[in-house]
Amino acid sequence: MTTSTSSLPSLPRIFGQYEIEQPIGRGESSRVFRAHHRQIREHKVALKVLLNQDAARIKRFAQEASIAARLRHPHISRLIDYGVQNPFHYAVFEYIPGSSLRDLPRLRATTKGNALPEGSYLPLPPDKVLRYFRQIADALDYAHSLDLVHRDLAPGNILIDPHAEKAYLIDFGIARDPDQSLTSTGMIMGTPGFIAPECMVSAQNATHLSDIFSLGVVLFYMLTGEEPWHETPKPGDGLRGPPPMRTLAEVGQKLPEEVDRIIRTLLAWEPHHRYASAGAAATELEMVLGRHVMATQVVAAQPASLAQPAGQAKSIAVIESNEVERALSGSLFHEPLERAQNRARTLDAYQISQLLDQWAQERPFRLPLLGRLARFRDIRHYNVFFFHLHLLIEQRRDAGTEEEPDSQQKELPPQREVERWQIELPAPKEFQAQAGSRIVVPGSEQVINCPACKGQTTITCSMCNGTRRVTVAEEPAGEAAAAGQASSATAGAGGSPVVRQRVVACPQCNGRGLLPCKRCASFGRVVQRKLIEWSRWVVRDEAQNDLPDVDESWLRRACKAELVYKKRIVGSIPPAWLQITEVKAMIERHQQALDKDSRIVMAELQIHFIPLTEIEFDLGKPQQSYRLAIYGFENLIPADWRFLHWERILFLSGIGVLSLFLLISVAFLMVG
């Protein structure tokens, strides 16, 4: 049970060299006070006192102090001292004036005199979000570099000093330290709404990527003062799929859609789909939101003295927006995309000039010093995507019926007939063709009167048609037969021989006129079932983004395409796939080829990409510009006849022709 300050009248005002001034915060089992040094009153500190004397609490409190002692970062609250003032354990931290991020939106609303309804907030402006987010991201990456996972990254554990415009990460009380593990299996720790899905199963699952997830919720909170969830995820939800999320537009924030993509990537349900580091997310946010802030500042009126001098605007390298990242953000392997972004930042005009010079030197007939001659007009970075689609098509056709006599009168419980595509078949596991088989449609069994005998158990004899008698030709016997043969021979010239007939009992039904019904085995009823037959086959297809004029076989051979997405689904095609033009075209083309008896039952989409930089430049003649592409992480440039050194080629060709002419002339002279 947690002890409150009201139940601890003996709580001293002095702890070691520090004297309490006033409370400034509280936790589950501790209180935080502003205090000052007894000898130097101007020296303010944050004094954290543990009120719970449970051994496990004391051990965790000591671990927090031990972790804090290792941290030396400008945006992490620094540990100053630690001690025991019987029976209280306490830790002394650097004092940070201001408030927690949790309270800041409400405080801003109060300070600015906004009469907001209960539950409303005044969110931080984007430029402040950029600054604070970068600072917290840097602090988080620093902690991760020491193999520490915070595990409770939430607005309550981020302090903001609004005057210095600095953010600080605090409270490593439940941080995961691999050298001092105090977490039990199945324990869930952290602030609801900010806990990563894997940690909602057990806090032992926490990795640095769990903090990245929490950072995504913090970013949404910074921009809106609210959490992104329609309904806050609860323990156990980590085993389910991602919950519905709100967009920034849904909470009234008019920011570029790319910011939503960054948040979705931070909040990816699968850890390996998140940013690999907090710094990578901060860098991308600066590129996207930074342009928005700069544009806003340009629109706003500024004194001439504060305006940015012409030609000195900072250029931010940004990979052009694409459908893949918009549709699948949060599901992409983000490490190669981060490398592409780093490539874009590195590949500035200076680096491109060097690349062009190096490319020109590789062949003797290319224009020398091409990079130095080039005057760049535009540099754009793209990711070119290649799509590989595997489809498993299943066909289910009507195969008629089967039946059996109702001889056993088996119990047939009432059951609704299962629709054809709801019948459970062996689940597809691999993309392999299957011949399939015929199967009974569940629930299609019915008992009917035998169609052959109409339920009478017998059928009319087909030989006598129920008359019980048939007429047969009588065979002559003995002498009469011989005489008959002679008579027939004699009568042959005058007419046909006379054949004697007689009526006998029908040999097929033994004179009964009826036969047992074989179809129902004389039970008068049959059990009838519907049948379908199924089979599966595989379809493979591929597509790619439009490319500048380039030999695609050269591109595939020269540049390595990086895998950025791979997902296999059983059932319906994910809507996100259909938001990608090339993938939608492939799927629709194959769907149109199917009939009513065929469906796509399993699909796998693999997406690779190659980074591409397209440059526009001239060579000193503004009226004539050139476009050139630099491909891949290898930064390769394909052969291009436009940049041949024609003067050198013509000069050497002239020398060659002249030399040939001289050789021919000498040959003629020698012959003469």
Side-chain angles (χ1 to χ4, degrees), residues 213-232:
F213 180 94
S214 302
L215 187 65
V217 189
V218 167
L219 175 57
F220 194 93
Y221 186 89
M222 282 183 171
L223 291 168
T224 66
E226 303 176 28
E227 296 176 17
W229 320 113
H230 286 285
E231 184 177 345
T232 301

Side-chain angles (χ1 to χ4, degrees), residues 343 347 352 355 611-613 615 628-632 635-637:
R343 171 188 178 273
L347 211 55
I352 292 174
L355 277 175
L612 161 68
T613 299
I615 58 176
L628 192 66
I630 304 172
Y631 293 93
N635 291 333
L636 299 180
I637 303 173

Side-chain angles (χ1 to χ4, degrees), residues 76-140:
I76 296 178
S77 178
R78 182 170 53 90
L79 178 73
I80 297 173
D81 199 358
Y82 180 83
V84 180
Q85 188 88 1
N86 262 335
F88 303 103
H89 290 250
Y90 68 93
V92 183
F93 290 91
E94 172 188 7
Y95 174 69
I96 299 166
S99 64
S100 71
L101 179 61
R102 178 184 57 202
D103 300 325
L104 193 61
R106 171 61 66 187
L107 290 173
R108 292 188 69 247
T110 305
T111 303
K112 292 182 176 293
N114 291 278
L116 298 178
E118 186 66 26
S120 299
Y121 299 89
L122 188 62
L124 292 168
D127 59 328
K128 296 287 194 303
V129 171
L130 276 177
R131 184 175 291 107
Y132 296 150
F133 187 79
R134 165 57 77 180
Q135 293 169 358
I136 294 304
D138 288 346
L140 203 57

Side-chain angles (χ1 to χ4, degrees), residues 18-268:
Y18 301 94
E19 182 177 346
I20 289 177
E21 291 183 358
Q22 66 181 46
I24 57 175
R26 56 185 296 163
E28 184 181 357
S29 59
S30 62
R31 297 293 181 270
V32 182
F33 303 90
R34 188 178 70 186
H36 61 262
H37 194 280
R38 294 172 62 192
Q39 306 301 324
I40 310 172
R41 296 184 64 88
E42 294 78 14
H43 179 32
K44 306 294 184 181
V45 296
L47 185 73
K48 186 173 184 178
V49 181
L50 180 66
L51 304 181
N52 193 309
Q53 304 308 312
D54 178 73
R57 295 279 188 179
I58 293 174
K59 191 170 184 179
R60 189 171 291 281
F61 191 78
Q63 177 176 298
E64 177 188 2
S66 174
I67 291 173
R70 296 160 52 189
L71 299 172
R72 293 288 186 273
H73 191 274
H75 295 287
I76 296 178
S77 178
R78 182 170 53 90
L79 178 73
I80 297 173
D81 199 358
Y82 180 83
V84 180
Q85 188 88 1
N86 262 335
F88 303 103
H89 290 250
Y90 68 93
V92 183
F93 290 91
E94 172 188 7
Y95 174 69
I96 299 166
S99 64
S100 71
L101 179 61
R102 178 184 57 202
D103 300 325
L104 193 61
R106 171 61 66 187
L107 290 173
R108 292 188 69 247
T110 305
T111 303
K112 292 182 176 293
N114 291 278
L116 298 178
E118 186 66 26
S120 299
Y121 299 89
L122 188 62
L124 292 168
D127 59 328
K128 296 287 194 303
V129 171
L130 276 177
R131 184 175 291 107
Y132 296 150
F133 187 79
R134 165 57 77 180
Q135 293 169 358
I136 294 304
D138 288 346
L140 203 57
D141 282 345
Y142 168 75
H144 292 164
S145 71
L146 300 178
D147 205 16
L148 296 172
V149 180
H150 191 282
R151 290 202 297 198
D152 195 14
L153 186 63
N157 290 327
I158 296 173
L159 293 183
I160 303 294
D161 181 351
H163 299 292
E165 293 191 339
K166 289 185 178 181
Y168 297 84
L169 184 58
I170 65 170
D171 198 348
F172 283 78
I174 63 170
R176 190 214 66 185
D177 183 349
D179 299 328
Q180 303 178 45
S181 179
L182 300 177
T183 306
S184 302
T185 303
M187 183 181 294
I188 299 173
M189 309 171 75
T191 302
F194 293 82
I195 307 173
E198 62 272 17
C199 298
M200 286 190 285
V201 178
S202 173
Q204 285 189 326
N205 296 334
T207 67
H208 78 284
L209 296 174
S210 307
D211 284 345
I212 301 296
F213 180 94
S214 302
L215 187 65
V217 189
V218 167
L219 175 57
F220 194 93
Y221 186 89
M222 282 183 171
L223 291 168
T224 66
E226 303 176 28
E227 296 176 17
W229 320 113
H230 286 285
E231 184 177 345
T232 301
K234 300 178 291 296
D237 287 354
L239 297 175
R240 307 188 185 97
M245 280 177 50
R246 298 185 293 176
T247 63
L248 293 170
E250 288 175 338
V251 292
Q253 270 287 19
K254 296 181 179 179
L255 292 172
E257 291 184 1
E258 288 291 289
V259 180
D260 274 310
R261 179 185 61 77
I262 292 170
I263 292 173
R264 288 195 300 270
T265 303
L266 286 163
L267 297 178

Side-chain angles (χ1 to χ4, degrees), residues 268-573:
W269 212 244
E270 295 293 334
H272 62 279
H273 289 158
R274 300 169 197 156
Y275 288 98
S277 67
T283 299
E284 195 159 350
L285 184 68
E286 287 169 346
M287 290 187 294
V288 173
L289 197 53
R291 288 182 295 177
H292 174 80
V293 171
M294 291 168 61
T296 303
Q297 292 173 345
V298 169
V299 171
Q302 290 186 352
S305 60
L306 298 179
Q308 183 79 13
Q312 293 186 17
K314 184 180 179 180
S315 176
I316 301 177
V318 179
I319 293 179
E320 296 297 320
S321 177
N322 56 74
E323 290 180 332
V324 172
E325 292 188 74
R326 286 196 297 271
L328 301 175
S329 61
S331 301
L332 300 174
F333 304 137
H334 217 269
E335 186 275 334
L337 292 175
E338 289 181 21
R339 283 194 283 117
Q341 188 62 66
N342 290 333
R343 171 188 178 273
R345 285 195 294 272
T346 304
L347 211 55
D348 55 14
Y350 175 74
Q351 292 295 332
I352 292 174
S353 295
Q354 290 190 320
L355 277 175
L356 291 176
D357 282 343
Q358 180 182 346
W359 178 78
Q361 293 173 5
E362 291 174 354
R363 297 289 185 272
F365 293 114
R366 288 177 182 165
L367 192 64
L369 304 178
L370 179 61
R372 298 186 190 181
L373 295 173
R375 297 193 306 183
F376 297 103
R377 299 182 180 182
D378 193 19
I379 300 174
R380 293 182 179 272
H381 305 281
Y382 304 88
N383 286 333
V384 178
F385 293 94
F386 302 85
F387 309 98
H388 301 271
L389 182 67
H390 290 179
L391 300 175
L392 186 64
I393 311 296
E394 184 173 283
Q395 187 177 74
R396 300 187 182 190
R397 291 193 181 280
D398 185 1
T401 60
E402 70 173 13
E403 61 184 37
E404 64 178 350
D406 188 27
S407 57
Q408 304 296 322
Q409 296 188 34
K410 298 176 183 177
E411 183 179 352
L412 302 175
Q415 182 182 357
R416 179 176 170 272
E417 183 177 328
V418 178
E419 195 272 334
R420 183 189 309 183
W421 288 100
Q422 294 178 343
I423 299 173
E424 290 190 14
L425 294 180
K429 296 181 180 179
E430 298 297 333
F431 287 93
Q432 295 178 346
Q434 293 177 275
S437 61
R438 288 190 174 190
I439 61 171
V440 174
V441 177
S444 67
E445 291 179 319
Q446 59 177 341
V447 179
I448 61 172
N449 286 332
C450 177
C453 68
K454 305 297 189 290
Q456 300 302 312
T457 72
T458 57
I459 59 173
T460 302
C461 177
S462 59
M463 178 175 284
C464 67
N465 291 323
T467 63
R468 307 177 186 234
R469 306 173 184 84
V470 293
T471 301
V472 297
E474 187 177 39
E475 293 289 338
E479 293 181 2
Q485 291 175 1
S487 175
S488 297
T490 304
S496 300
V498 178
V499 179
R500 306 176 84 180
Q501 295 181 331
R502 66 191 181 96
V503 176
V504 298
C506 177
Q508 182 166 293
C509 65
N510 293 324
R512 291 186 178 90
L514 298 172
L515 290 172
C517 180
K518 293 182 179 180
R519 187 166 179 177
C520 67
S522 294
F523 283 92
R525 304 172 309 279
V526 293
V527 179
Q528 196 175 72
R529 306 177 185 89
K530 293 181 182 179
L531 298 175
I532 64 165
E533 56 184 3
W534 65 276
S535 60
R536 292 170 180 161
W537 66 91
V538 180
V539 173
R540 292 179 171 84
D541 203 350
E542 58 184 44
Q544 64 189 37
N545 293 150
D546 290 335
L547 286 169
D549 296 332
V550 65
D551 182 349
E552 293 180 9
S553 61
W554 169 85
L555 182 62
R556 292 178 180 273
R557 184 176 63 254
C559 298
K560 179 185 177 183
E562 296 283 346
L563 180 67
V564 74
Y565 180 83
K566 181 178 181 180
K567 186 171 184 179
R568 177 177 298 184
I569 59 97
V570 176
S572 58
I573 299 295

